[in-house]
């Protein structure tokens, strides 16, 4: 995948650059980011440099993850990270991806995370053809679940012992969002006729594979 840039009213989502390493390092010193995400703990500047300068470019190039640095359009300050991860089934009949994110502590409760996620959802469903977008979080991560609910994800249950974190198996909450779910979201429902990252007109998001829900 050739890296793309997405924009919203207040934000720009672009691939991370090595110059972002100091800001990423500072943000990841917050205990709850180390507690709920897979970043190393302790988190050093070398870890941030490896992520921004090596891991992110390689993941875009290898189609394993599309990670964006979320920055403010006003001053370029880092808000957090947002992206699509676990892309092994993106270009298979499953057409599936997972949304992942973290937000710098001082940028929370300002609507930035949901605003950035809306841009990624549009891109995923409309441009990439995603037909099932999952959200995973370790059970107990109420902040992440609150964001997922605001985005319209339907909570589907708990995956027992799904995650190994710091040598311990932990339960994981899972939710999912389908293109057909977007009809319930006023700010995402009307995607027809919008302009994509390339400047081309794009069709509305929709399921292209027939779906037969279990009636029981």
């Amino acid at each position: 995948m050739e890296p793309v840039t997405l924009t919203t009213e207040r934000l720009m989502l672009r691939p991370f650059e090595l110059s972002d390493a100091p800001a990423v390092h500072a943000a990841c010193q917050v205990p709850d980011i180390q507690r709920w995400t897979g970043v190393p703990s302790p988190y050093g500047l070398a870890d941030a440099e490896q992520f921004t300068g090596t891991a992110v470019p390689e993941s875009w190039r290898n189609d394993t993850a599309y990670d964006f640095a979320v920055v403010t359009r006003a001053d370029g300050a880092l808000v957090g990270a947002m992206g699509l991860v676990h892309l092994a089934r993106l270009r298979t009949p499953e057409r599936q991806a997972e949304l992942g994110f973290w937000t710098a502590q001082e940028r929370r409760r300002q609507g930035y995370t949901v605003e950035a996620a809306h841009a990624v959802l549009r891109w995923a469903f409309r441009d990439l053809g995603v037909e099932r977008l999952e959200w995973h979080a370790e059970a107990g991560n109420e902040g992440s679940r609150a964001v997922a609910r605001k985005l319209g994800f339907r909570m589907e249950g708990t995956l027992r012992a799904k995650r190994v974190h710091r040598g311990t198996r932990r339960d994981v909450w899972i939710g999912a969002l389908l293109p057909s779910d977007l009809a319930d979201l006023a700010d995402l429902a009307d995607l027809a006729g919008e302009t994509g990252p390339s400047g081309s007109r794009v069709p509305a998001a929709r399921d292209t594979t027939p779906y037969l829900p279990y009636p029981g």
Side-chain angles (χ1 to χ4, degrees), residues 42-190:
Y43 192 81
L45 181 58
D47 295 311
E49 291 173 341
Q50 194 280 334
F51 172 70
T52 59
T54 301
V56 169
E58 287 183 354
S59 67
W60 277 91
R61 188 163 52 248
N62 298 331
D63 294 314
T64 54
Y66 303 145
D67 288 304
F68 294 97
V70 181
V71 301
T72 59
R73 294 178 66 177
D75 59 9
L78 182 70
V79 170
M82 177 78 61
L84 300 177
V85 299
H86 299 155
L87 299 180
R89 289 185 284 176
L90 175 60
R91 290 175 176 82
T92 67
E94 286 78 8
R95 305 297 299 175
Q96 183 172 304
E98 180 183 331
L99 182 71
F101 53 86
W102 56 258
T103 307
Q105 187 173 46
E106 67 274 13
R107 298 292 178 171
R108 298 175 188 175
R109 288 177 284 278
Q110 300 175 56
Y112 286 136
T113 307
V114 170
E115 183 176 330
H118 280 172
V120 175
L121 296 185
R122 290 186 179 94
W123 181 60
F125 286 121
R126 186 185 58 190
D127 292 17
L128 300 184
V130 170
E131 295 185 7
R132 175 179 165 89
L133 186 62
E134 292 190 345
W135 159 87
H136 292 192
E138 186 179 319
N141 190 345
E142 297 288 356
S144 183
R145 184 164 67 171
V147 170
R149 288 186 184 280
K150 289 179 181 178
L151 294 170
F153 280 84
R154 298 189 185 185
M155 299 298 111
E156 296 183 337
T158 300
L159 305 176
R160 296 185 303 153
K162 170 71 172 177
R163 183 186 187 207
V164 177
H165 185 65
R166 315 285 186 240
T168 301
R169 286 197 173 276
R170 301 174 185 270
D171 294 342
V172 167
W173 287 331
I174 180 173
L177 188 66
L178 309 180
S180 55
D181 296 331
L182 300 183
D184 298 328
L185 303 176
D187 51 357
L188 289 177
D190 184 14

